[in-house]
Amino acid sequence: MPNIKLPDGNSLNFDKKVNGFQIAEKISKSLSKQALIISVDGNLKDLNYEIYHDCSVKIYTAKDKEGLETIRHDTAHVLAMAVQEIFPKTQVTIGPVIDNGFYYDFARKDPFTEEDLRKIEKKMMEIVDRDEPTHREVWKRDKAIEHFKKAGEIYKAEIIKAIPKEEEVSVYFHGKWHDLCRGPHLSSTGKIGKYFKLTKVSGAYWRGDSKNEMLQRIYGTSWPSQKELDNYLKMIEEAEKRDHRKLGKEMDLFHFREESPGSVFWHERGWNLFQKLIDYMRLRQKKAGYKEINTPEILDRGLWEKSGHWEKFGEHMYTSTTPDEKIFAIKPMNCPGCVQVFNQGLKSYRDLPLKMSEFGKVHRYEPSGALHGLMRVRAFTQDDAHIFCTEDQITQESLSVTNLILDIYKDLGFKNVILKYSDRPEVRVGDDKVWDKSEAALLEAVKESKLEYSINKGEGAFYGPKIEFVLRDAIGRDWQCGTLQVDLNLPERLGASYVDKDGSKKIPVMLHRALFGSLERFIGILIENYAGKFPFWISPLQVVVIPVSDDFDKYSKEVANKVNNSGINCQVDLKNHNLNYKIREHSLAKVPILLICGKKEVDSNSVTIRKLDSNDQEIMKLDKFLEKYTALNQAASN
RNA sequence: GCCCUCAUAGUUAAAUGGUAUAACAUGUCCAUGGUAAGGAUAAAUUUCAAGUUCGAUUCUUGAUGGGGGCACCA
């Protein structure tokens, strides 16, 4: 006589036993149609799971995260079925749900082609039409291993070996095809619907370890309705349109070339933007009490050995040998140089916290496969700073970094920021007591920030715990930019000290922090966030002056000069084209303000303003324009 | 670095075992224009190296670089 408690507080009574289908039917007809899986006392189960005892249940549909994930998980199974039907010798491995979809890793000699994907999709449709019923069996571990080994599924057998002893080994059947799986699953293959698509094939290491063999991964996406699938595909298209590599080319911001893979050739417009961000950051940091310094790009090998970089980071470092055979390294990080500035001259506890900022260009020899436009490069500029302080000051200083970063992100159009807190990794330096203290101090700052945060166990740097600042862009993608790291190691290694109140020498704590992170990456993110249509104050080229005909070239040049002299980036277009042509060209280049100059304007000493994406025309006295737009140009910097 | 894939004017594309086509961009000329492409005309290209071949941009191999992932990461 199980008594079934429902989420709304009501309960139902059944004779003997009951399953999810029967409960759903009893609640409502529409629910029974939409029901996908059920949770019994918080554990997700198949709908035909038999309940003999009192419990609370919740029935999930495609509207719930759990329901949607099950659809995707089932689609992954159907993918594996289809692959094995078409390519019988292929081994299956794992097929989890990911954001917006799923993947399945296969072991097979020949690579899957785009054509194969279409073939597999067709087969998947067939399997959906066949509506193969699902059923679940629990096997003995040894039997399961034996079975999969015999079937030539070596990877599956390995997975079973790795399942903890106390867990049961369950095998799901869809018709005859079966797979080792924890479940839960939908009641038949027809339930997943046909709103899926296989999106790409790629390589992936077995168990995510680059020492292991490479498998073939097929990615797919799956949704409860055609509309949601279409929306998702449209979002992908939108992301492609915003691709900063494409826009960077179109807007004449930068380019890459073979002679220096992963390093940016900045064009005038892109560099304008770059400088503007630095100007802005410089102002903000000055107000926040930072002192800007600059240190050498190339430093003797000995310093890097002392700092530990030579050993821990060596494979990412560029080195340079001088004609007299000395070895120098091109800095991959700014910290050792900064510590040396701290080390020059005796420091007192009264100097702390000492915040030193540096726009340092660093070089890292990144693996070739990691390079990606501006997002991942081999030479980049950090808006770096190092805060030397006492252990007691960690929380306060971390908090002020967090507040500064939030404010800055807001100015640049990002309102959603979350934190990722990472604590001690297995391989680390320093005493556990000091770790305890600094982790606690940093976590306190995280909590006090009142922001949403996640804890990444064991992902801290080898020298201390860290926070990463993740921002969400206009189309919902997350990017990691800023970072704050507590360093318990480097000051000591490089002999940094200050004189405390009692006259004794103490080692300071150092906080590393970067707000944009890498200027290059941040610009990439900005381009994609705004789809190239920047707010006026950071626009790569802010104003273009266009004469109505060449009779007005002289006046247009004068206007452009005045605009430039007021600190606004401006060009005049004197090319031999008509007005319409020029408006189109500069609009496509996403210049926010076009100033049209013809007879009217010359006579009244004014300009006609045409804003991007607007057909409105506004005529304004030149003086007034300068006044208004100079103020706008400063807007976010105050 | 690993798996897959691609490489043709400044850009985006097309074609071919017999040296390559177009659009846009660029230069010159005409048109002197009022809010998203006016007209004429010119110059310019097969990533690099080796091989097969009478002949390679096309086929083969290698290198380099790009793209999608994996691993690594700001």
Side-chain angles (χ1 to χ4, degrees), chain A residues 543-546 553-574 595 597 607 622 625-626:
Chain A
V543 174
V544 170
V545 185
I546 307 175
D553 280 4
K554 186 164 163 270
Y555 179 73
S556 298
K557 270 197 255 182
E558 280 169 25
V559 170
N561 258 332
K562 284 189 181 155
V563 175
N564 260 318
N565 288 343
S566 66
I568 294 167
N569 287 314
C570 171
Q571 287 179 5
V572 57
D573 185 349
L574 302 179
L595 295 181
C597 298
V607 290
L622 180 56
F625 172 84
L626 290 174

Side-chain angles (χ1 to χ4, degrees), chain A residues 258-430:
Chain A
E258 277 193 25
E259 291 96 325
S260 189
S263 298
V264 190
F265 290 78
W266 285 105
H267 300 186
E268 186 194 3
R269 293 184 191 189
W271 195 242
N272 284 342
L273 170 53
F274 196 105
Q275 290 302 322
K276 190 82 184 200
L277 289 177
I278 288 186
D279 289 348
Y280 166 74
M281 189 60 92
R282 192 165 267 151
L283 203 77
R284 294 300 310 252
Q285 289 186 153
K286 198 159 194 180
K287 279 187 186 164
Y290 288 82
K291 303 175 191 319
E292 185 175 333
I293 61 162
N294 192 263
T295 65
E297 318 262 285
I298 299 176
L299 292 146
D300 190 273
R301 167 181 176 166
L303 178 68
W304 301 105
E305 283 172 346
K306 246 195 253 171
S307 72
H309 286 88
W310 195 262
E311 190 203 342
K312 300 266 181 196
F313 207 73
E315 57 177 334
H316 295 292
M317 284 163 70
Y318 288 91
T319 55
S320 154
T321 308
T322 57
D324 55 353
E325 305 283 303
K326 284 184 187 138
I327 296 178
F328 288 82
I330 303 166
K331 66 177 175 184
M333 295 187 196
N334 301 303
C335 20
C338 182
V339 175
Q340 297 304 49
V341 174
F342 180 89
N343 282 345
Q344 204 287 320
L346 213 51
K347 297 293 182 294
S348 143
Y349 73 94
R350 292 171 189 279
D351 295 320
L352 307 186
L354 180 56
K355 313 187 207 183
M356 293 197 275
S357 64
E358 175 173 11
F359 293 97
K361 185 166 186 183
V362 296
H363 290 75
R364 297 182 188 173
Y365 192 71
E366 298 289 349
S368 57
L371 303 181
H372 180 92
L374 294 176
M375 302 303 192
R376 194 75 186 276
V377 288
R378 283 184 174 153
F380 59 101
T381 306
Q382 295 179 308
D383 60 329
D384 211 351
H386 298 90
I387 301 170
F388 295 86
C389 64
T390 65
E391 283 176 18
D392 296 337
Q393 290 168 335
I394 295 177
T395 301
Q396 179 50 43
E397 287 309 308
S398 301
L399 206 56
S400 75
V401 167
T402 305
N403 289 334
L404 182 60
I405 213 169
L406 287 181
D407 211 38
I408 282 166
Y409 285 0
K410 206 162 67 193
D411 274 352
L412 287 151
F414 303 106
K415 290 188 183 87
N416 289 317
V417 180
I418 57 168
L419 305 184
K420 282 203 258 173
Y421 167 83
S422 305
D423 60 11
R424 69 191 78 184
E426 263 175 49
V427 184
R428 60 180 181 269
V429 295

Side-chain angles (χ1 to χ4, degrees), chain A residues 188-236:
Chain A
S188 67
T189 56
K191 285 273 192 285
I192 68 170
K194 291 184 172 176
Y195 318 113
F196 57 80
K197 187 171 163 38
L198 301 181
T199 47
K200 54 198 167 196
V201 227
S202 79
Y205 297 109
W206 165 235
R207 293 203 155 136
D209 189 333
S210 60
K211 287 188 207 87
N212 291 343
E213 61 274 31
M214 182 129 319
L215 306 171
Q216 291 189 65
R217 175 171 297 178
I218 297 180
Y219 283 92
T221 186
S222 183
W223 300 84
S225 70
Q226 187 66 42
K227 199 174 152 202
E228 284 160 280
L229 173 63
D230 289 344
N231 279 347
Y232 173 70
L233 296 176
K234 219 183 261 170
M235 200 279 282
I236 305 258

Side-chain angles (χ1 to χ4, degrees), chain A residues 121 137 149 179 425 475 543:
Chain A
E121 267 173 2
E137 290 181 9
K149 265 193 185 159
D179 191 7
I475 55 173
V543 174

Side-chain angles (χ1 to χ4, degrees), chain A residues 354-597:
Chain A
L354 180 56
K355 313 187 207 183
M356 293 197 275
S357 64
E358 175 173 11
F359 293 97
K361 185 166 186 183
V362 296
H363 290 75
R364 297 182 188 173
Y365 192 71
E366 298 289 349
S368 57
L371 303 181
H372 180 92
L374 294 176
M375 302 303 192
R376 194 75 186 276
V377 288
R378 283 184 174 153
F380 59 101
T381 306
Q382 295 179 308
D383 60 329
D384 211 351
H386 298 90
I387 301 170
F388 295 86
C389 64
T390 65
E391 283 176 18
D392 296 337
Q393 290 168 335
I394 295 177
T395 301
Q396 179 50 43
E397 287 309 308
S398 301
L399 206 56
S400 75
V401 167
T402 305
N403 289 334
L404 182 60
I405 213 169
L406 287 181
D407 211 38
I408 282 166
Y409 285 0
K410 206 162 67 193
D411 274 352
L412 287 151
F414 303 106
K415 290 188 183 87
N416 289 317
V417 180
I418 57 168
L419 305 184
K420 282 203 258 173
Y421 167 83
S422 305
D423 60 11
R424 69 191 78 184
E426 263 175 49
V427 184
R428 60 180 181 269
V429 295
D431 194 76
D432 274 1
K433 270 189 200 143
V434 191
W435 273 93
D436 288 344
K437 214 167 172 183
S438 52
E439 280 179 359
L442 192 59
L443 190 57
E444 201 186 320
V446 169
K447 284 179 179 158
E448 266 189 54
S449 76
K450 306 270 189 285
L451 291 168
E452 190 189 318
Y453 69 94
S454 63
I455 293 183
N456 293 11
K457 277 241 157 288
E459 304 222 335
F462 69 90
Y463 47 74
K466 68 176 176 184
I467 312 177
E468 284 166 342
F469 299 87
V470 177
L471 55 81
R472 180 156 296 169
D473 77 5
I475 55 173
R477 296 172 303 176
D478 288 343
W479 301 95
Q480 199 232 296
C481 298
T483 159
L484 169 64
Q485 304 173 359
V486 180
D487 191 339
L488 313 163
N489 177 42
L490 197 61
E492 184 176 10
R493 272 178 172 260
L494 296 183
S497 67
Y498 65 94
V499 181
D500 207 354
K501 269 182 202 163
D502 59 4
S504 65
K505 279 201 171 178
K506 294 247 170 82
I507 300 168
V509 173
M510 186 163 99
L511 305 180
H512 305 243
R513 53 109 281 201
L515 308 189
F516 291 144
S518 136
L519 265 296
E520 283 77 0
R521 170 182 288 185
F522 199 80
I523 288 174
I525 294 166
L526 277 177
I527 294 172
E528 302 206 357
N529 180 61
Y530 286 117
K533 292 181 181 172
F534 291 94
F536 178 74
W537 74 284
I538 45 169
S539 191
L541 177 60
Q542 296 171 291
V543 174
V544 170
V545 185
I546 307 175
V548 171
S549 79
D550 54 14
D551 290 341
F552 312 107
D553 280 4
K554 186 164 163 270
Y555 179 73
S556 298
K557 270 197 255 182
E558 280 169 25
V559 170
N561 258 332
K562 284 189 181 155
V563 175
N564 260 318
N565 288 343
S566 66
I568 294 167
N569 287 314
C570 171
Q571 287 179 5
V572 57
D573 185 349
L574 302 179
K575 278 200 295 268
N576 197 9
H577 289 291
N578 63 27
L579 179 61
N580 281 353
Y581 180 94
K582 291 181 185 179
I583 287 173
R584 177 181 152 82
E585 186 185 39
H586 299 297
S587 297
L588 289 176
K590 301 180 173 59
V591 178
I593 300 291
L594 303 181
L595 295 181
I596 315 295
C597 298

Side-chain angles (χ1 to χ4, degrees), chain A residues 93-107:
Chain A
T93 67
I94 55 163
V97 170
I98 49 173
D99 280 355
N100 297 319
F102 59 90
Y103 65 77
Y104 211 115
D105 285 349
F106 299 95

Side-chain angles (χ1 to χ4, degrees), chain A residues 78 121-132 188-194 196:
Chain A
V78 171
E121 267 173 2
K122 243 191 193 162
K123 181 61 84 180
M124 288 171 73
M125 296 290 181
E126 274 174 49
I127 293 169
V128 171
D129 284 333
R130 295 205 306 250
D131 200 17
E132 308 261 15
S188 67
T189 56
K191 285 273 192 285
I192 68 170
K194 291 184 172 176
F196 57 80

Side-chain angles (χ1 to χ4, degrees), chain A residues 597-614:
Chain A
C597 298
K599 186 163 188 317
K600 265 194 299 200
E601 290 78 8
V602 173
D603 291 347
S604 60
N605 200 29
S606 52
V607 290
T608 294
I609 303 166
R610 186 190 202 281
K611 291 183 186 158
L612 184 57
D613 287 334
S614 157

